[in-house]
Amino acid sequence: MPTRQKFATQVDAALLEELRRLARDEGRQIQALVDEAIATLIDQRRRGRARPHVMAAYQRSHGRFAALYDKLAK
């Protein structure tokens, strides 16, 4: 089981009420929903950005193969 760590934050009252309702409706703990939401946010942000070395390789190849990429796009 992963180590858990407490932290404190503040959230909009209406969002917190919706979170409580959702937890109750799903029969889950708020903690589980927060874990899920944070994991989803992190995953989405990571997938949305290419790693620096990947972007550098793409930019190098684009300079060399720009005409080919243009033809492939058509």
Side-chain angles (χ1 to χ4, degrees):
M1 177 177 279
T3 303
R4 305 208 55 87
Q5 186 171 0
K6 287 186 176 190
F7 73 101
T9 190
Q10 295 182 3
V11 64
D12 179 90
L15 289 175
L16 182 56
E17 185 55 37
E18 279 293 309
L19 181 63
R20 287 180 175 140
R21 183 196 58 73
L22 187 60
R24 184 181 62 248
D25 291 350
E26 293 184 3
R28 298 173 67 192
Q29 294 181 354
I30 290 175
Q31 171 182 306
L33 296 178
V34 170
D35 282 347
E36 181 181 330
I38 291 171
T40 299
L41 174 66
I42 290 170
D43 183 55
Q44 288 173 347
R45 297 286 170 87
R46 282 185 180 156
R47 284 187 289 133
R49 267 186 285 159
R51 292 168 289 180
H53 72 278
V54 173
M55 283 305 297
Y58 165 74
Q59 289 171 345
R60 285 191 306 273
S61 75
H62 195 273
R64 184 173 175 193
F65 300 109
L68 173 61
Y69 294 155
D70 188 48
K71 288 179 182 179
L72 289 171
K74 292 178 183 177

Coordinates of all heavy atoms in Angstrom, one line a residue:
M1 N 0.8 -1.2 0.0 CA 0.0 0.0 0.0 C 0.9 1.2 0.0 O 1.8 1.3 0.8 CB -0.9 0.0 1.2 CG -1.8 1.2 1.3 SD -2.9 1.2 2.7 CE -4.2 0.2 2.0
P2 N 0.6 2.2 -0.9 CA 1.4 3.4 -0.9 C 1.4 4.2 0.4 O 0.4 4.2 1.1 CB 0.9 4.2 -2.1 CG -0.4 3.5 -2.5 CD -0.5 2.3 -1.8
T3 N 2.5 4.9 0.7 CA 2.5 5.8 1.8 C 1.6 7.0 1.6 O 1.7 7.6 0.5 CB 4.0 6.2 2.1 OG1 4.8 5.1 2.2 CG2 4.0 7.1 3.3
R4 N 0.8 7.3 2.6 CA -0.1 8.4 2.4 C 0.5 9.6 3.2 O 1.2 9.4 4.2 CB -1.5 8.1 3.0 CG -2.0 6.8 2.3 CD -3.4 6.7 2.2 NE -4.2 7.8 1.6 CZ -4.4 8.0 0.3 NH1 -3.9 7.1 -0.6 NH2 -5.1 9.0 -0.2
Q5 N 0.3 10.8 2.7 CA 0.8 12.0 3.3 C -0.3 13.1 3.4 O -1.0 13.3 2.4 CB 2.0 12.6 2.6 CG 2.7 13.7 3.2 CD 4.0 14.1 2.6 OE1 4.4 13.5 1.6 NE2 4.6 15.1 3.1
K6 N -0.5 13.7 4.5 CA -1.5 14.7 4.7 C -1.0 16.0 4.1 O 0.2 16.3 4.1 CB -1.9 14.9 6.1 CG -2.7 13.8 6.7 CD -3.1 14.2 8.1 CE -4.0 13.1 8.7 NZ -4.7 13.5 9.9
F7 N -2.0 16.8 3.6 CA -1.7 18.2 3.1 C -2.9 19.0 3.3 O -4.0 18.4 3.3 CB -1.1 18.2 1.7 CG -2.2 18.0 0.6 CD1 -2.7 19.1 0.0 CD2 -2.6 16.7 0.3 CE1 -3.7 18.9 -1.0 CE2 -3.5 16.5 -0.7 CZ -4.1 17.6 -1.4
A8 N -2.8 20.3 3.4 CA -4.0 21.1 3.6 C -4.1 22.1 2.4 O -3.1 22.5 1.9 CB -3.9 21.9 4.9
T9 N -5.3 22.3 2.0 CA -5.6 23.3 1.0 C -7.0 23.8 1.2 O -7.7 23.4 2.1 CB -5.4 22.6 -0.4 OG1 -5.4 23.7 -1.4 CG2 -6.5 21.6 -0.7
Q10 N -7.4 24.7 0.3 CA -8.7 25.3 0.3 C -9.4 25.0 -1.0 O -8.7 25.0 -2.0 CB -8.7 26.8 0.7 CG -8.2 27.0 2.1 CD -8.2 28.5 2.4 OE1 -8.7 29.3 1.6 NE2 -7.7 28.9 3.5
V11 N -10.7 24.9 -1.0 CA -11.4 24.6 -2.2 C -12.7 25.4 -2.2 O -13.2 25.7 -1.1 CB -11.6 23.1 -2.5 CG1 -12.5 22.5 -1.4 CG2 -12.2 22.8 -3.8
D12 N -13.2 25.8 -3.4 CA -14.5 26.5 -3.5 C -15.6 25.7 -2.8 O -15.6 24.4 -2.9 CB -14.8 26.7 -4.9 CG -16.1 27.4 -5.1 OD1 -16.1 28.6 -5.2 OD2 -17.1 26.7 -5.2
A13 N -16.4 26.3 -2.0 CA -17.4 25.6 -1.2 C -18.4 24.8 -2.0 O -18.8 23.7 -1.7 CB -18.2 26.6 -0.3
A14 N -18.7 25.4 -3.2 CA -19.7 24.7 -4.1 C -19.0 23.4 -4.6 O -19.7 22.4 -4.8 CB -20.1 25.6 -5.2
L15 N -17.7 23.5 -5.0 CA -17.0 22.3 -5.5 C -16.9 21.2 -4.4 O -17.1 20.0 -4.7 CB -15.6 22.7 -5.9 CG -15.5 23.5 -7.2 CD1 -14.1 23.9 -7.5 CD2 -16.1 22.7 -8.4
L16 N -16.7 21.6 -3.2 CA -16.6 20.7 -2.1 C -17.9 20.0 -1.8 O -17.9 18.8 -1.6 CB -16.1 21.4 -0.8 CG -15.9 20.5 0.4 CD1 -14.9 19.3 0.1 CD2 -15.4 21.3 1.6
E17 N -19.0 20.7 -1.9 CA -20.3 20.1 -1.7 C -20.6 19.1 -2.8 O -21.1 18.1 -2.6 CB -21.4 21.2 -1.7 CG -22.8 20.7 -1.4 CD -22.8 19.9 -0.1 OE1 -22.2 20.2 0.9 OE2 -23.6 18.9 -0.1
E18 N -20.2 19.5 -4.1 CA -20.4 18.5 -5.2 C -19.5 17.3 -5.0 O -20.0 16.2 -5.3 CB -20.0 19.2 -6.5 CG -21.1 20.0 -7.1 CD -22.3 19.2 -7.5 OE1 -22.2 18.2 -8.2 OE2 -23.4 19.6 -7.1
L19 N -18.3 17.5 -4.5 CA -17.5 16.3 -4.2 C -18.0 15.4 -3.2 O -18.0 14.2 -3.3 CB -16.1 16.8 -3.8 CG -15.0 15.8 -3.5 CD1 -14.7 15.0 -4.8 CD2 -13.8 16.4 -2.9
R20 N -18.6 16.0 -2.1 CA -19.2 15.2 -1.1 C -20.4 14.5 -1.6 O -20.6 13.3 -1.3 CB -19.7 16.1 0.1 CG -18.5 16.6 0.9 CD -19.0 17.5 2.0 NE -17.9 17.9 2.9 CZ -17.7 19.1 3.4 NH1 -18.5 20.1 3.2 NH2 -16.6 19.3 4.2
R21 N -21.2 15.1 -2.4 CA -22.4 14.5 -3.0 C -22.0 13.3 -3.9 O -22.5 12.2 -3.8 CB -23.2 15.5 -3.8 CG -24.5 14.9 -4.4 CD -25.1 15.7 -5.5 NE -24.2 15.9 -6.6 CZ -23.9 15.0 -7.6 NH1 -24.3 13.8 -7.5 NH2 -23.1 15.3 -8.5
L22 N -20.9 13.5 -4.7 CA -20.5 12.5 -5.6 C -19.9 11.3 -4.8 O -20.2 10.2 -5.1 CB -19.4 13.1 -6.5 CG -18.8 12.2 -7.6 CD1 -19.9 11.8 -8.6 CD2 -17.7 12.9 -8.4
A23 N -19.2 11.6 -3.8 CA -18.6 10.5 -2.9 C -19.8 9.7 -2.3 O -19.8 8.4 -2.3 CB -17.7 11.1 -1.9
R24 N -20.8 10.4 -1.8 CA -21.9 9.7 -1.2 C -22.7 8.9 -2.2 O -23.0 7.7 -2.0 CB -22.8 10.8 -0.6 CG -24.0 10.2 0.2 CD -24.9 11.2 0.8 NE -25.5 12.1 -0.3 CZ -25.2 13.4 -0.5 NH1 -24.4 14.0 0.3 NH2 -25.8 14.0 -1.4
D25 N -22.9 9.5 -3.4 CA -23.7 8.8 -4.4 C -22.9 7.5 -4.9 O -23.6 6.5 -5.3 CB -24.0 9.7 -5.6 CG -25.0 10.8 -5.3 OD1 -25.6 10.7 -4.2 OD2 -25.1 11.7 -6.1
E26 N -21.6 7.6 -5.0 CA -20.8 6.5 -5.5 C -20.4 5.5 -4.4 O -19.8 4.5 -4.6 CB -19.6 7.0 -6.2 CG -19.9 7.7 -7.5 CD -18.7 8.1 -8.3 OE1 -17.5 7.8 -7.9 OE2 -18.8 8.8 -9.3
G27 N -20.7 5.9 -3.1 CA -20.3 5.0 -2.0 C -18.8 5.0 -1.8 O -18.3 3.9 -1.4
R28 N -18.2 6.1 -2.1 CA -16.7 6.1 -2.0 C -16.3 7.2 -1.0 O -17.1 8.1 -0.7 CB -16.1 6.4 -3.4 CG -16.4 5.4 -4.4 CD -15.9 5.7 -5.8 NE -14.5 5.8 -5.9 CZ -13.8 6.3 -6.9 NH1 -14.5 6.9 -7.9 NH2 -12.5 6.4 -6.9
Q29 N -15.0 7.2 -0.6 CA -14.5 8.2 0.3 C -14.1 9.4 -0.6 O -13.6 9.2 -1.7 CB -13.3 7.7 1.1 CG -13.7 6.6 2.1 CD -12.5 6.2 2.9 OE1 -11.4 6.5 2.6 NE2 -12.8 5.3 3.9
I30 N -14.2 10.6 0.0 CA -13.7 11.8 -0.7 C -12.2 11.6 -1.0 O -11.8 12.0 -2.1 CB -13.9 13.0 0.2 CG1 -15.4 13.3 0.3 CG2 -13.1 14.2 -0.3 CD1 -15.7 14.5 1.2
Q31 N -11.4 11.0 -0.1 CA -10.0 10.8 -0.4 C -9.8 10.0 -1.7 O -8.9 10.4 -2.5 CB -9.4 10.0 0.8 CG -8.0 9.5 0.6 CD -7.6 8.7 1.8 OE1 -7.7 9.2 3.0 NE2 -7.2 7.5 1.6
A32 N -10.6 9.0 -1.9 CA -10.4 8.2 -3.2 C -10.7 9.1 -4.4 O -10.0 9.0 -5.4 CB -11.4 7.0 -3.1
L33 N -11.7 9.9 -4.3 CA -12.1 10.8 -5.5 C -11.0 11.8 -5.7 O -10.6 12.1 -6.8 CB -13.4 11.5 -5.2 CG -14.6 10.6 -5.2 CD1 -15.9 11.4 -4.9 CD2 -14.8 9.8 -6.4
V34 N -10.4 12.4 -4.6 CA -9.3 13.4 -4.7 C -8.1 12.7 -5.4 O -7.5 13.2 -6.3 CB -9.0 14.0 -3.4 CG1 -7.7 14.8 -3.5 CG2 -10.2 14.9 -2.9
D35 N -7.8 11.5 -4.9 CA -6.6 10.7 -5.5 C -6.8 10.5 -7.0 O -5.9 10.8 -7.8 CB -6.5 9.4 -4.8 CG -5.8 9.4 -3.5 OD1 -5.2 10.5 -3.1 OD2 -5.8 8.4 -2.7
E36 N -8.1 10.1 -7.3 CA -8.4 9.9 -8.7 C -8.3 11.2 -9.6 O -7.7 11.2 -10.7 CB -9.8 9.3 -8.9 CG -10.2 9.0 -10.3 CD -11.6 8.5 -10.3 OE1 -12.1 7.8 -9.4 OE2 -12.3 8.7 -11.4
A37 N -8.8 12.3 -9.0 CA -8.7 13.5 -9.7 C -7.3 14.0 -9.9 O -6.9 14.5 -11.0 CB -9.6 14.6 -9.0
I38 N -6.5 13.9 -8.9 CA -5.1 14.4 -9.0 C -4.3 13.5 -10.0 O -3.6 14.0 -10.8 CB -4.4 14.4 -7.6 CG1 -5.1 15.5 -6.7 CG2 -2.9 14.6 -7.7 CD1 -4.6 15.4 -5.3
A39 N -4.5 12.2 -9.9 CA -3.8 11.3 -10.9 C -4.2 11.6 -12.3 O -3.4 11.6 -13.2 CB -4.1 9.8 -10.5
T40 N -5.5 11.9 -12.5 CA -6.0 12.2 -13.9 C -5.4 13.5 -14.4 O -5.0 13.6 -15.5 CB -7.5 12.2 -13.9 OG1 -8.1 11.0 -13.5 CG2 -8.1 12.6 -15.2
L41 N -5.4 14.5 -13.5 CA -4.8 15.8 -13.9 C -3.3 15.6 -14.3 O -2.9 16.1 -15.3 CB -5.0 16.8 -12.8 CG -4.3 18.1 -13.0 CD1 -5.0 18.9 -14.1 CD2 -4.3 19.0 -11.7
I42 N -2.6 14.9 -13.5 CA -1.1 14.8 -13.7 C -0.9 14.0 -15.0 O -0.1 14.4 -15.9 CB -0.5 14.0 -12.5 CG1 -0.4 15.0 -11.3 CG2 0.9 13.5 -12.9 CD1 0.0 14.3 -10.0
D43 N -1.7 12.9 -15.3 CA -1.6 12.2 -16.5 C -1.9 13.0 -17.7 O -1.2 13.0 -18.7 CB -2.5 11.0 -16.4 CG -2.4 10.1 -17.6 OD1 -1.3 9.6 -18.0 OD2 -3.4 9.8 -18.3
Q44 N -3.0 13.8 -17.6 CA -3.4 14.6 -18.8 C -2.3 15.7 -19.1 O -2.0 15.9 -20.2 CB -4.7 15.3 -18.5 CG -5.9 14.4 -18.5 CD -7.2 15.1 -18.1 OE1 -7.1 16.2 -17.5 NE2 -8.3 14.5 -18.3
R45 N -1.7 16.3 -18.1 CA -0.7 17.3 -18.3 C 0.6 16.7 -18.8 O 1.2 17.3 -19.7 CB -0.4 18.0 -17.0 CG -1.6 18.8 -16.4 CD -1.9 20.1 -17.2 NE -3.1 20.7 -16.9 CZ -3.3 21.6 -15.9 NH1 -2.3 21.9 -15.1 NH2 -4.5 22.1 -15.7
R46 N 0.9 15.5 -18.4 CA 2.1 14.8 -18.9 C 1.9 14.5 -20.4 O 2.9 14.6 -21.2 CB 2.4 13.6 -18.1 CG 3.1 13.9 -16.8 CD 3.5 12.6 -16.1 NE 4.1 13.0 -14.8 CZ 4.2 12.2 -13.8 NH1 3.7 10.9 -13.8 NH2 4.8 12.5 -12.7
R47 N 0.8 14.0 -20.7 CA 0.5 13.6 -22.1 C 0.4 14.8 -23.0 O 0.7 14.7 -24.2 CB -0.7 12.7 -22.2 CG -0.6 11.3 -21.7 CD -1.8 10.4 -22.0 NE -2.8 10.8 -21.1 CZ -4.1 11.0 -21.5 NH1 -4.5 10.9 -22.7 NH2 -5.0 11.4 -20.6
G48 N 0.1 15.9 -22.5 CA -0.1 17.1 -23.3 C 1.2 17.8 -23.7 O 1.2 18.6 -24.6
R49 N 2.3 17.4 -23.1 CA 3.6 18.0 -23.3 C 4.6 17.0 -23.8 O 4.7 15.9 -23.1 CB 4.1 18.7 -22.1 CG 3.8 20.1 -22.0 CD 4.4 20.7 -20.8 NE 3.7 20.2 -19.6 CZ 4.2 20.2 -18.4 NH1 5.4 20.6 -18.1 NH2 3.5 19.7 -17.4
A50 N 5.3 17.3 -24.8 CA 6.3 16.4 -25.3 C 7.6 16.6 -24.4 O 7.8 17.7 -23.9 CB 6.7 16.6 -26.7
R51 N 8.3 15.5 -24.2 CA 9.5 15.6 -23.5 C 10.5 16.5 -24.2 O 10.5 16.5 -25.5 CB 10.1 14.3 -23.2 CG 9.2 13.5 -22.2 CD 9.6 12.0 -22.2 NE 9.2 11.5 -23.5 CZ 9.4 10.2 -23.8 NH1 9.9 9.4 -23.0 NH2 9.0 9.8 -25.0
P52 N 11.4 17.3 -23.5 CA 12.3 18.2 -24.2 C 13.2 17.5 -25.2 O 13.4 18.1 -26.3 CB 13.1 18.8 -23.0 CG 12.2 18.7 -21.9 CD 11.4 17.4 -22.1
H53 N 13.7 16.3 -25.0 CA 14.6 15.7 -26.0 C 13.8 15.2 -27.2 O 14.4 15.2 -28.3 CB 15.4 14.5 -25.3 CG 14.6 13.3 -25.0 ND1 13.8 13.2 -23.9 CD2 14.4 12.2 -25.7 CE1 13.2 12.0 -23.9 NE2 13.6 11.4 -25.0
V54 N 12.5 14.9 -27.0 CA 11.7 14.5 -28.1 C 11.4 15.7 -29.0 O 11.5 15.7 -30.3 CB 10.4 13.9 -27.7 CG1 9.4 13.6 -28.8 CG2 10.7 12.6 -26.9
M55 N 11.1 16.9 -28.4 CA 10.9 18.1 -29.2 C 12.2 18.6 -29.9 O 12.1 19.0 -31.0 CB 10.4 19.2 -28.3 CG 8.9 19.1 -27.9 SD 7.8 18.9 -29.3 CE 8.0 20.5 -30.1
A56 N 13.3 18.4 -29.2 CA 14.6 18.8 -29.9 C 14.8 18.0 -31.1 O 15.2 18.5 -32.2 CB 15.7 18.7 -28.9
A57 N 14.6 16.7 -31.0 CA 14.8 15.8 -32.2 C 13.8 16.1 -33.3 O 14.2 16.1 -34.4 CB 14.6 14.3 -31.7
Y58 N 12.6 16.4 -32.9 CA 11.6 16.8 -33.9 C 12.0 18.0 -34.6 O 12.0 18.1 -35.9 CB 10.2 17.0 -33.3 CG 9.3 17.7 -34.2 CD1 8.7 17.0 -35.3 CD2 8.9 19.0 -34.0 CE1 7.9 17.7 -36.2 CE2 8.1 19.7 -34.9 CZ 7.6 19.1 -36.0 OH 6.8 19.7 -36.8
Q59 N 12.4 19.0 -33.9 CA 12.8 20.3 -34.5 C 14.0 20.1 -35.4 O 14.1 20.7 -36.5 CB 13.1 21.4 -33.4 CG 11.8 21.8 -32.8 CD 12.0 22.7 -31.5 OE1 13.1 22.7 -31.0 NE2 11.0 23.3 -31.1
R60 N 15.0 19.3 -35.0 CA 16.1 19.0 -35.9 C 15.7 18.3 -37.2 O 16.1 18.7 -38.3 CB 17.2 18.1 -35.2 CG 18.0 18.8 -34.2 CD 19.2 18.0 -33.7 NE 18.8 16.7 -33.2 CZ 18.4 16.4 -31.9 NH1 18.4 17.4 -31.0 NH2 18.1 15.2 -31.6
S61 N 14.7 17.3 -37.1 CA 14.3 16.6 -38.2 C 13.4 17.5 -39.1 O 13.4 17.4 -40.3 CB 13.5 15.4 -37.9 OG 12.2 15.7 -37.4
H62 N 12.7 18.4 -38.5 CA 11.8 19.3 -39.3 C 12.7 20.2 -40.2 O 12.3 20.5 -41.3 CB 10.9 20.2 -38.4 CG 9.8 20.8 -39.1 ND1 9.9 22.0 -39.7 CD2 8.6 20.4 -39.4 CE1 8.8 22.3 -40.3 NE2 8.0 21.4 -40.1
G63 N 13.8 20.7 -39.7 CA 14.6 21.5 -40.5 C 15.2 20.8 -41.7 O 15.3 21.3 -42.8
R64 N 15.4 19.5 -41.5 CA 15.9 18.6 -42.6 C 14.8 18.1 -43.5 O 15.1 18.0 -44.8 CB 16.7 17.5 -42.0 CG 17.4 16.6 -43.0 CD 18.3 15.6 -42.3 NE 18.8 14.7 -43.3 CZ 19.5 13.6 -42.9 NH1 19.6 13.2 -41.7 NH2 20.0 12.8 -43.9
F65 N 13.7 17.8 -43.0 CA 12.6 17.1 -43.8 C 11.3 17.9 -43.9 O 10.3 17.3 -44.1 CB 12.3 15.8 -43.2 CG 13.5 14.8 -43.1 CD1 14.1 14.5 -41.9 CD2 14.0 14.3 -44.3 CE1 15.1 13.6 -41.8 CE2 15.1 13.4 -44.2 CZ 15.7 13.1 -43.0
A66 N 11.4 19.2 -43.8 CA 10.2 20.1 -43.8 C 9.4 19.8 -45.1 O 8.2 19.7 -45.1 CB 10.6 21.5 -43.7
A67 N 10.0 19.7 -46.2 CA 9.3 19.5 -47.5 C 8.6 18.2 -47.5 O 7.4 18.1 -48.0 CB 10.3 19.6 -48.7
L68 N 9.2 17.2 -47.0 CA 8.6 15.8 -46.9 C 7.4 15.9 -46.0 O 6.3 15.3 -46.3 CB 9.6 14.8 -46.5 CG 9.1 13.4 -46.2 CD1 8.5 12.8 -47.5 CD2 10.2 12.5 -45.6
Y69 N 7.6 16.5 -44.9 CA 6.4 16.6 -43.9 C 5.3 17.3 -44.5 O 4.1 17.0 -44.3 CB 6.9 17.3 -42.6 CG 7.9 16.5 -41.8 CD1 8.7 17.2 -40.9 CD2 8.0 15.1 -41.9 CE1 9.6 16.5 -40.1 CE2 8.9 14.4 -41.1 CZ 9.7 15.1 -40.2 OH 10.6 14.4 -39.5
D70 N 5.6 18.3 -45.3 CA 4.5 19.1 -46.0 C 3.7 18.2 -47.0 O 2.5 18.2 -47.0 CB 5.1 20.3 -46.7 CG 4.0 21.2 -47.2 OD1 3.1 21.6 -46.4 OD2 4.1 21.6 -48.4
K71 N 4.5 17.4 -47.7 CA 3.9 16.5 -48.7 C 3.0 15.4 -48.0 O 1.9 15.1 -48.4 CB 4.9 15.8 -49.6 CG 5.5 16.8 -50.6 CD 6.6 16.1 -51.4 CE 7.3 17.1 -52.4 NZ 8.3 16.4 -53.2
L72 N 3.5 14.9 -46.9 CA 2.8 13.9 -46.2 C 1.5 14.4 -45.6 O 0.5 13.7 -45.5 CB 3.7 13.3 -45.1 CG 4.8 12.4 -45.5 CD1 5.8 12.1 -44.4 CD2 4.3 11.2 -46.2
A73 N 1.6 15.7 -45.2 CA 0.4 16.3 -44.6 C -0.7 16.5 -45.6 O -1.9 16.5 -45.2 CB 0.7 17.7 -44.0
K74 N -0.4 16.6 -46.9 CA -1.4 16.8 -47.9 C -1.9 15.5 -48.3 O -2.9 15.2 -48.7 CB -0.7 17.5 -49.1 CG -0.3 18.9 -48.8 CD 0.3 19.6 -50.0 CE 0.8 21.0 -49.6 NZ 1.5 21.6 -50.6

